[in-house]
Amino acid sequence: MTDPRESLRAATLRYRSTAAEHEEARKEAIEAVLDALRSGLAPVEVEQLSPFTGAYIRRIARDSGIPPAAPGPKRV
């Protein structure tokens, strides 16, 4: 039987060793989301194609100066 401490140590080491790659991928995904919104893709489509929730997409859009969509029906 494997010592759970060893399994936990190994998993933690693996997690920490990939943290930088994960952060870089997250930044790339955010830039792609912002580019998609700036190019006119509908936020709902951006949400479907991205790893992020609609609420997070709205937050990063506002933080980056992208205004909210106009009220009313949206094009699909």
Side-chain angles (χ1 to χ4, degrees), residues 1-72:
M1 183 187 260
T2 304
D3 181 358
R5 289 174 197 85
E6 285 306 312
S7 296
L8 181 56
R9 283 185 193 106
T12 300
L13 180 61
R14 190 170 48 254
Y15 178 85
R16 288 180 178 156
S17 70
T18 61
E21 292 174 18
H22 177 79
E23 180 61 18
E24 183 61 31
R26 186 184 74 79
K27 288 178 182 178
E28 288 176 14
I30 288 172
E31 283 305 312
V33 162
L34 294 172
D35 288 345
L37 292 171
R38 288 181 184 121
S39 73
L41 256 60
V44 68
E45 185 177 3
V46 173
E47 179 182 3
Q48 291 169 349
L49 296 171
S50 80
F52 305 125
T53 65
Y56 187 66
I57 290 170
R58 286 188 296 277
R59 188 175 104 197
I60 61 175
R62 297 313 156 262
D63 289 349
S64 297
I66 298 173

